[in-house]
Amino acid sequence: GQQLNQSPQSMFIQEGEDVSMNCTSSSIFNTWLWYKQDPGEGPVLLIALYKAGELTSNGRLTAQFGITRKDSFLNISASIPSDVGIYFCAAPGRSQGNLIFGKGTKLSVKP
Amino acid sequence: DTGVSQNPRHKITKRGQNVTFRCDPISEHNRLYWYRQTLGQGPEFLTYFQNEAQLEKSRLLSDRFSAERPKGSFSTLEIQRTEQGDSAMYLCASTSSTDTQYFGPGTRLTVL
């Protein structure tokens, strides 16, 4: 079935460092989404990508829709303590618009 | 736009009891989704409504689970005869006609 593989599983970085994470699949998608989830809260949409090769920014966050349509990347520049959380990639599943999610990348930032 | 809201935020119940959760989507969104999330995993799709019609159910949605969206606005998710394995975060999301879904804060269910 469709599956999204996120890496790394977790990251522990120093404040101010840049962060890169990615999401890959054996399936092709027309949309990639990146969400951030804080403990005890629902996922919050960060960036939506709709076109292969697209590069989109949201403040210090930049995401790219891979040219093969099988992967996506998220970069965070100059990390700050409030970047702590779990970052999920998501893409449309086979059903009518339901999303499938990766297992997440847990980011910890040391002040 | 007040976002998606869910109530209650937390629910603790004893095994065998019934529980009901409510989701109020973003007002102009006609599509509403329920997901379940367990520790260390991403959300998993349960069911989907377009307006008041329930169009899809995941195989994760056992016979003990039922969802409604009677007037095409808010939705309820009921779990009958809860089991410890039902303990999870239940998330609701809504959207208009794109793949971009907006999630509520979730209801954390603990079954003792």
Side-chain angles (χ1 to χ4, degrees):
Chain A
Q2 294 176 311
Q3 197 169 340
L4 301 183
N5 303 304
Q6 278 191 255
S7 65
Q9 188 174 350
S10 63
M11 302 181 75
F12 195 74
I13 63 168
Q14 198 80 31
E15 183 178 358
E17 288 183 354
D18 296 343
V19 172
S20 290
M21 60 188 79
N22 68 73
C23 189
T24 61
S25 178
S26 58
S27 300
I28 290 173
F29 295 102
N30 292 320
T31 302
W32 284 94
L33 305 168
W34 285 93
Y35 288 86
K36 177 180 182 251
Q37 188 173 29
D38 293 330
E41 300 293 330
V44 174
L45 181 66
L46 299 174
I47 293 180
L49 300 159
Y50 299 106
K51 189 176 174 183
E54 179 182 358
L55 190 71
T56 298
S57 292
N58 178 8
R60 294 178 296 105
L61 277 62
T62 302
Q64 182 159 24
F65 191 142
I67 198 72
T68 64
R69 292 161 58 198
K70 293 182 178 183
D71 55 14
S72 180
F73 306 88
L74 178 69
N75 296 314
I76 305 173
S77 63
S79 58
I80 58 178
S82 63
D83 291 333
V84 164
I86 303 178
Y87 291 80
F88 289 99
C89 61
R94 291 201 178 96
S95 300
Q96 297 186 51
N98 74 291
L99 295 177
I100 57 172
F101 285 80
K103 291 190 175 183
T105 292
K106 184 175 181 179
L107 179 63
S108 302
V109 179
K110 198 163 45 173
Chain B
D1 180 358
T2 57
V4 179
S5 62
Q6 291 187 246
N7 288 288
R9 293 293 311 275
H10 304 275
K11 179 70 178 179
I12 300 174
T13 191
K14 292 182 180 178
R15 191 174 53 186
Q17 298 294 306
N18 300 342
V19 294
T20 300
F21 311 140
R22 176 177 170 130
C23 171
D24 287 89
I26 293 170
S27 57
E28 64 268 25
H29 286 179
N30 60 343
R31 295 185 181 185
L32 186 149
Y33 300 81
W34 285 97
Y35 292 82
R36 182 175 72 184
Q37 185 179 25
T38 53
L39 201 62
Q41 302 294 321
E44 295 175 292
F45 169 70
L46 290 178
T47 190
Y48 152 62
F49 290 85
Q50 181 155 325
N51 300 312
E52 66 275 10
Q54 187 173 17
L55 297 184
E56 182 107 17
K57 294 183 194 179
S58 155
R59 64 177 184 276
L60 291 177
L61 209 69
S62 78
D63 291 344
R64 297 183 297 105
F65 287 67
S66 62
E68 294 183 344
R69 195 183 182 197
K71 298 180 181 178
S73 56
F74 73 90
S75 176
T76 57
L77 178 69
E78 181 184 15
I79 309 175
Q80 295 183 324
R81 304 180 303 281
T82 51
E83 301 172 357
Q84 287 184 324
D86 297 332
S87 296
M89 174 78 94
Y90 289 85
L91 294 161
C92 175
S94 72
T95 187
S96 50
S97 57
T98 69
D99 295 321
T100 309
Q101 296 181 18
Y102 297 89
F103 283 81
T107 295
R108 167 73 66 188
L109 173 66
T110 302
V111 181
L112 301 176

